[in-house]
Structures are given as structure tokens and as C-alpha cells.
Amino acid sequence: MDFFRRLASLRLTHPTLSGIWYAFLWMMIGALVLSLLLQSGSLEEHNLTWPIYIVHAAALLFGGLTSGKRAGHKGWYQGSLTGLFYGILILCISLLALDSSPGLSDLTLLFPAIAIGALGGMFGVNLHKKK
């Protein structure tokens, strides 16, 4: 029983890992909302490009916010690392799913991911409780 109690209280202490975890959590919530909008018919697939970018930007912002808050200092650094790793993971997943090779346009999407993550990290540091 002690094993299950310890497993339930698992907490990611590294700021970048917790930021990536929360970014993927928010991305999954956004994907669920978008799929419900697609199912209801109020959104069509050819109009889905900008909502997907907005979901990823919000996920990166919340991921950077979490990593900056957990770090307590150098939020821009932790947030940009979160954005970089999130962008690389999403890029790898999309390239494997579409069975395509990476191009320059795919790699240029990493720069906004790093910038949005860094912005979230800067705001997240200010949410950290000082002791």
C-alpha cells in the first residue's frame, strides 16, 4: 500500500520536465476542445490551422509559466528550454505521423516556441513564493 501512496504523490521537481508535462497537459485539453468543436460542426478542418497554433502557444505559455515558477530564478532560461524541448517533441511527432522529412519551415517554428516559453518563464518567476 505504501508503494501506491508514493506513486500517487509523484511530483516532478525539475522545472523543465514539469513545464513540458504541463505544456502537454494543456495541449491535450486544447486538442480535446478542438475535436469537440469539429464534432459539433461549428469548426471545419480547413479552418483549423490558426486554432492549432493558438492551442500550442497557450500550452507553451503555461508550460513556461510552470517551469519558471518551479525554478524560482532564471525563468527565461527554464521557459526557453521548455519551449525548445516541447517544439522538438512536437516536430518529431508530426514528422513521424506524416512520414515526411523536416524542412526549413518546420525548423523556423522552433523560434516562436522558444520565445513563448521564455515569456511564460519570465511571468512564472514572479509567481514563485519567496521564502
Side-chain angles (χ1 to χ4, degrees):
M1 193 66 172
D2 188 45
F3 171 73
F4 292 116
R5 192 173 310 134
R6 281 187 295 159
L7 187 63
S9 67
L10 181 69
R11 182 167 188 230
L12 293 173
T13 56
H14 195 276
T16 306
L17 287 178
S18 63
I20 291 172
W21 170 255
Y22 278 97
F24 270 94
L25 178 72
W26 281 103
M27 188 258 310
M28 287 187 288
I29 291 170
L32 178 67
V33 169
L34 287 178
S35 65
L36 289 175
L37 288 174
L38 275 172
Q39 183 69 26
S40 69
S42 61
L43 190 63
E44 295 181 8
E45 285 186 33
H46 66 292
N47 295 332
L48 206 56
T49 304
W50 283 105
I52 288 174
Y53 285 143
I54 291 169
V55 165
H56 283 299
L60 278 166
L61 192 66
F62 284 119
L65 191 85
T66 302
S67 66
K69 183 178 177 182
R70 292 267 170 99
H73 64 287
K74 292 187 181 178
W76 63 271
Y77 176 70
Q78 293 296 332
S80 62
L81 277 179
T82 300
L84 176 69
F85 290 141
Y86 178 87
I88 289 172
L89 284 171
I90 292 295
L91 184 64
C92 288
I93 290 169
S94 67
L95 291 176
L96 288 173
L98 297 175
D99 196 27
S100 62
S101 59
L104 187 60
S105 64
D106 296 327
L107 295 177
T108 56
L109 293 175
L110 287 177
F111 296 117
I114 293 169
I116 293 170
L119 183 68
M122 284 187 254
F123 285 126
V125 166
N126 293 322
L127 296 176
H128 181 74
K129 295 179 181 176
K130 304 289 185 206
K131 292 182 180 180

